[in-house]
Each structure stands twice: as C-alpha cells, then as structure tokens.
Amino acid sequence: EAGVAQSPRYKIIEKRQSVAFWCNPISGHATLYWYQQILGQGPKLLIQFQNNGVVDDSQLPKDRFSAERLKGVDSTLKIQPAKLEDSAVYLCASSTPDRAHEETQYFGPGTRLLVL
Amino acid sequence: GEDVEQSLFLSVREGDSSVINCTYTDSSSTYLYWYKQEPGAGLQLLTYIFSNMDMKQDQRLTVLLNKKDKHLSLRIADTQTGDSAIYFCAERTLNTGKLIFGQGTTLQVKP
C-alpha cells in the first residue's frame, strides 16, 4: 500500500512570495490533515478535511494560508504572502476508521519550507 | 487547555533500555500515541494505547499509561543505534478528535 505522498520535498522562497504544497493521501482515506512543524517543536494542526469538507481550520492563519481538497482526494496548501516565521516543515497526514473506530493518522515525508 | 509535555533529550548506550516520558493535561483523551521521526523524514507511528488500558507491549516496545497522573511512557528494550531519532507523544482528545503533540524527545544511542 502506497503511503502519503507530498511534493515538493524542499522549497526556498523570499518573504512576500507565494508557495503551494501538494498532498496525495493513502487511497481510500477520507480524512486529510495539514500540520505545521517548526524546528524543535511538535506538529500543530492547521486544517482537517473530511472528504472535501473542512472539519477544523481554527488554527489556520486565514489571512495568508488557504487549503483546498476539491475532489475529496488530493489537497493543496497555499501561503500568500509568505513571512519569515512560516519557515517550517509542512506535514500532510491521512486516516480512515478501522474496525475499532480508531482513526490512526499516517504521515507523509513533509515539505521543508525556508523563507528568506 | 490541551497540553503535552516531554523531556527534550535522552542519551543511552546501545543494548540498554530507554524510557521516554510524557505528561498530558486533557483527561478526556481517548487514544495516546508514540511517533518516531528520523532526520528529514515524516512521522512514523510506533504504537498507541487506548485510554482504558494500563499497558501495551509490542516486541521491544512497552507503553505504560497512568491515567490518574496523566503520565505516559515508552520503554524501548535493547536499544539500537537505529533507534536514534526524535520521539513524539500525542494525545487524541474526545472533544475535538485532533492530535496534540508534545515537543519531542531526542534519543541519542551511543555505541
């Protein structure tokens, strides 16, 4: 079974530029998550989708961040314009309920963003 | 509020046991997880425990949960150099269903 795919793996941009990240979840997983992991910290949830609907985007800085999952499969996360403090690893994860109704989250390799 | 705390660093010798500790604040947590992150990689799920369990063993890994003290630990038996990584504890809360991660414990295994 293929894991969660993300691209690009690395991105360097200057502040005030725009950037977009792509995620392809595990096949059949209805729930998709985007996390931000700043160096030295644990991941923090930015947004959670259930199919193509948003479940939780309370921690997403909506003035500059946006995300979509139009067909309920792939997702893109965009930052426009980027700030220095957006330098982080952006992790995508997906999950689906198992027989015990547990939704274990499986993570992709992440996209490392450096804003100069 | 929801908060998860971990010690930042642990150093052990190859072959010894490692114990990584975690405390959490949300008493409504349903599941608690341990993830491993190697340099440049995403998070790999190691194991998880349901909140009504005290212990779970999986090969070299033993998870202990003290729900009264809101304390979780991960014991790695016969630690190997390949176990060197950052280990994250996470709780999944009943209220929101989202994962709250600790800041990670860096495990250094010396040969």
Side-chain angles (χ1 to χ4, degrees), chain B residues 32-79:
Chain B
L32 294 128
Y33 301 81
W34 285 104
Y35 282 87
K36 175 184 180 183
Q37 188 175 39
E38 296 183 77
L43 276 69
Q44 173 195 351
L45 177 67
L46 288 178
T47 187
Y48 64 89
I49 188 167
F50 189 46
S51 57
N52 68 353
M53 297 170 63
D54 299 324
M55 186 181 87
K56 181 178 180 181
Q57 188 149 4
D58 185 0
Q59 298 182 337
R60 293 191 297 123
L61 305 178
T62 303
V63 178
L64 295 178
L65 175 60
N66 181 329
K67 197 171 180 182
K68 174 176 169 289
D69 294 338
K70 300 193 186 88
H71 182 268
L72 182 75
S73 68
L74 174 70
R75 179 177 181 270
I76 305 172
D78 187 25
T79 312

Side-chain angles (χ1 to χ4, degrees), chain A residues 8-19:
Chain A
R9 292 296 311 275
Y10 305 91
K11 191 74 178 178
I12 301 174
I13 61 173
E14 294 187 349
K15 60 182 178 184
R16 291 187 288 274
Q17 285 188 321
S18 301
V19 65

